[in-house]
């Protein structure tokens, strides 16, 4: 908080904070950090640790979304004022390294493993110069929340493993599919084949594709990696090992051929809620919402949770994370990105409170709101 604000507040009383706005979130606007610079943490996620919030995200440059620096970290006590902690995971200049400067690092998420006492960062990685072909999940660890993180490895996911929610009949149907037979995409027979596991079969040996992603730690401390797989057509939910740094081999497919990206998830009163987007590159589209009582499904689709201006286009953004506000029951913040592909560093953030109508999440557009006073 600036000195001018502190003096004004001592004169007017702290309640005037609501009016004077240092504690307000203004979605879609420039959001300055402690140094006065627009926060550079896109496609991000937030970890609450030792009473503070840590926001990790993609560092974007003026004219490229490629990773020229790495994953950034900011810290806050109030979710509005953020202090830049610098680069948590740095790209390298080592030629041929997975995380060579110029690779693509997207949607980093950090979780804490209380058994190993390590911070574990997962992200979507694309190798330098190879567009989006690699479709890998990557992992890094650190002893300190703000880093530096040590890169461990990357790759496709769960090689040789069949989805846990594929019955014997479905397995037999998939076995009969011939990937080379579908020269033309987007036809009804091709869509049916994707639903039946065309790409699961294609990628069985080398591992499943993993692009847009999040990581979720459940109440029982089991962690899950949720990612767009099968050429972004189907989401996978995959269990992580006890130390959170690898996959166990157990996974399920969610909404086969549903074309979901940008998964964000939270749990309230024993029910999991997931908000996703469709696949339209950097352009916004209508949010989707799913719910289940068990992480393994079955998941049910609900209506678009967004309300108000531009609700059919997720207010111009794309989901990235759902943040649990600590110390307040049922307080969650929907986080999304308004991408600016021509000027990536200028991409904006949407942070909105989640309300519940008959226990179903609803996200209403608000130009300004205050997380300190929104929840009683
Ligand atoms: C949409 C994804 O959600 C983003 O993370 C990014 O991969 C863009 N597509 C690239 O077009």
């Amino acid at each position: 908080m600036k000195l001018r604000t502190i003096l004004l507040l001592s004169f007017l009383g702290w309640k005037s904070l609501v009016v004077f706005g240092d504690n307000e979130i203004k979605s879609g606007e420039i959001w300055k950090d402690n140094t006065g610079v627009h926060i550079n943490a896109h496609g991000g996620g937030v970890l609450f640790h030792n009473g503070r919030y840590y926001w990790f995200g993609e560092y974007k440059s003026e004219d490229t979304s490629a990773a020229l620096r790495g994953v950034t970290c900011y810290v806050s006590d109030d979710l509005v004022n953020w202090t830049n902690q610098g680069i948590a995971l740095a790209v390298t200049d080592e030629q041929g390294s997975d995380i060579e400067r110029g690779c693509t690092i997207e949607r980093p998420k950090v979780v804490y493993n209380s058994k190993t006492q390590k911070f574990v960062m997962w992200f979507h990685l694309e190798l330098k110069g190879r567009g989006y072909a690699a479709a890998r999940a990557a992992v890094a660890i650190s002893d300190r929340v703000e880093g530096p993180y040590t890169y461990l490895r990357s790759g496709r996911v769960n090689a040789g493993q069949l989805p846990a929610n594929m019955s014997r009949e479905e397995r037999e149907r998939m076995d009969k599919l011939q990937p080379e037979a579908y020269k033309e995409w987007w036809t009804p027979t091709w869509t049916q084949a994707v639903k039946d596991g065309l790409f699961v079969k294609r990628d069985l040996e080398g591992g499943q594709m993993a692009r847009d992603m999040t990581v979720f730690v459940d109440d029982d401390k089991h962690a899950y990696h949720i990612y767009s797989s099968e050429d972004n057509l189907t989401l996978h939910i995959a269990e992580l090992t006890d130390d959170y740094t690898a996959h166990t081999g157990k996974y399920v497919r969610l909404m086969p051929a549903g074309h979901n990206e940008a998964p964000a998830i939270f749990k309230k009163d024993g029910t999991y809620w997931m908000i996703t987007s469709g696949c339209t590159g950097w352009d916004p589209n209508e949010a989707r919402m799913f719910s289940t009582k068990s992480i393994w499904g079955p998941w049910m689709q609900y209506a678009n949770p967004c309300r108000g201006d531009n609700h059919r286009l997720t207010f111009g953004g794309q989901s990235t994370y759902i943040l649990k506000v600590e110390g307040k029951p049922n307080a969650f913040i929907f986080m999304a990105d308004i991408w600016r592909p021509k000027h990536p560093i200028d991409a904006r953030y949407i942070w909105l409170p989640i309300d519940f109508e008959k226990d179903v999440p609803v996200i209403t557009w608000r130009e300004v709101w205050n997380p300190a006073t929104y929840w009683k």
Side-chain angles (χ1 to χ4, degrees):
M1 198 177 292
K2 296 186 187 81
L3 181 63
R4 187 163 41 97
T5 319
I6 293 171
L7 291 175
L8 198 64
L9 285 171
S10 355
F11 180 66
L12 294 170
W14 288 88
K15 284 205 175 124
S16 55
L17 262 182
V18 181
V19 180
F20 282 93
D22 256 18
N23 272 19
E24 287 167 343
I25 290 183
K26 296 180 186 146
S27 292
E29 297 199 4
I30 289 287
W31 193 342
K32 290 184 178 165
D33 69 6
N34 61 309
T35 68
V37 174
H38 182 44
I39 292 171
N40 199 335
H42 309 276
V46 175
L47 174 69
F48 184 74
H49 187 73
N50 278 348
R52 310 193 84 191
Y53 295 94
Y54 293 83
W55 178 356
F56 297 87
E58 306 161 15
Y59 176 95
K60 291 205 184 274
S61 307
E62 294 288 342
D63 57 0
T64 178
S65 272
L68 299 188
R69 302 281 304 279
V71 175
T72 47
C73 176
Y74 293 80
V75 64
S76 174
D77 297 317
D78 60 8
L79 293 168
V80 179
N81 299 285
W82 293 90
T83 300
N84 191 341
Q85 300 287 291
I87 300 293
L89 172 75
V91 294
T92 128
D93 284 319
E94 194 190 317
Q95 257 200 346
S97 156
D98 289 357
I99 55 164
E100 181 178 356
R101 198 181 305 278
C103 66
T104 297
I105 289 180
E106 288 182 350
R107 300 181 178 270
K109 305 288 178 278
V110 174
V111 289
Y112 177 66
N113 187 292
S114 47
K115 269 195 197 150
T116 60
Q117 300 188 357
K118 302 262 185 224
F119 297 88
V120 183
M121 179 190 289
W122 282 92
F123 53 98
H124 165 205
L125 176 73
E126 297 293 346
L127 302 175
K128 185 178 178 181
R130 292 194 38 203
Y132 279 85
R136 291 187 183 188
V139 60
I141 53 168
S142 176
D143 292 326
R144 291 157 50 99
V145 57
E146 69 276 28
Y149 283 75
T150 305
Y151 175 72
L152 292 184
R153 77 191 104 80
S154 73
R156 295 276 177 98
V157 176
N158 283 328
Q161 304 295 329
L162 286 168
N165 60 344
M166 188 177 260
S167 65
R168 179 136 51 92
E169 293 74 42
E170 288 167 333
R171 163 87 205 263
E172 282 164 11
R173 205 176 313 140
M174 183 181 81
D175 282 346
K176 292 199 187 97
L177 296 170
Q178 298 300 332
E180 0 20 280
Y182 299 89
K183 299 268 178 294
E184 208 183 326
W185 284 32
W186 312 113
T187 63
T189 41
W190 174 88
T191 303
Q192 186 56 50
V194 171
K195 283 189 192 159
D196 290 344
L198 182 70
F199 295 151
V200 175
K201 181 179 178 184
R202 179 195 65 189
D203 295 334
L204 199 54
E205 206 182 312
Q208 302 297 320
M209 298 174 100
R211 292 202 184 109
D212 277 13
M213 54 139 283
T214 193
V215 174
F216 177 70
V217 179
D218 212 335
D219 306 328
D220 61 4
K221 300 264 168 50
H222 274 89
Y224 302 89
H225 175 210
I226 303 168
Y227 50 96
S228 292
S229 192
E230 304 178 32
D231 274 296
N232 293 352
L233 282 146
T234 301
L235 287 167
H236 288 186
I237 301 178
E239 185 180 57
L240 295 177
T241 51
D242 280 356
D243 67 0
Y244 302 168
T245 69
H247 296 87
T248 63
K250 180 172 181 186
Y251 71 100
V252 288
R253 300 171 76 214
L254 168 58
M255 297 291 144
H259 229 179
N260 286 281
E261 277 191 325
I265 182 173
F266 71 103
K267 189 179 184 185
K268 175 183 171 277
D269 302 330
T271 298
Y272 303 82
W273 293 96
M274 192 188 301
I275 297 176
T276 68
S277 74
C279 298
T280 48
W282 299 111
D283 294 330
N285 55 54
E286 185 163 10
R288 294 111 178 255
M289 185 163 71
F290 307 91
S291 171
T292 182
K293 289 275 181 198
S294 157
I295 192 100
W296 301 120
W299 289 76
M300 273 215 356
Q301 184 154 11
Y302 281 71
N304 171 9
C306 301
R307 303 272 187 283
D309 284 2
N310 216 1
H311 70 281
R312 288 237 156 77
L313 289 179
T314 320
F315 319 114
Q318 188 183 26
S319 42
T320 183
Y321 194 72
I322 294 166
L323 189 173
K324 182 177 181 316
V325 180
E326 295 301 324
K328 314 232 173 170
N330 301 329
F332 300 92
I333 299 176
F334 172 72
M335 293 168 52
D337 298 282
I338 303 176
W339 304 114
R340 295 268 162 94
K342 293 203 176 107
H343 191 193
I345 197 171
D346 190 37
R348 306 295 169 88
Y349 309 101
I350 295 172
W351 284 35
L352 294 168
I354 299 185
D355 299 316
F356 295 91
E357 279 175 7
K358 295 196 183 127
D359 267 345
V360 176
V362 166
I363 305 165
T364 305
W365 172 254
R366 289 161 214 279
E367 264 167 35
V368 177
W369 66 285
N370 184 337
T373 55
Y374 190 80
W375 294 280
K376 303 293 166 270

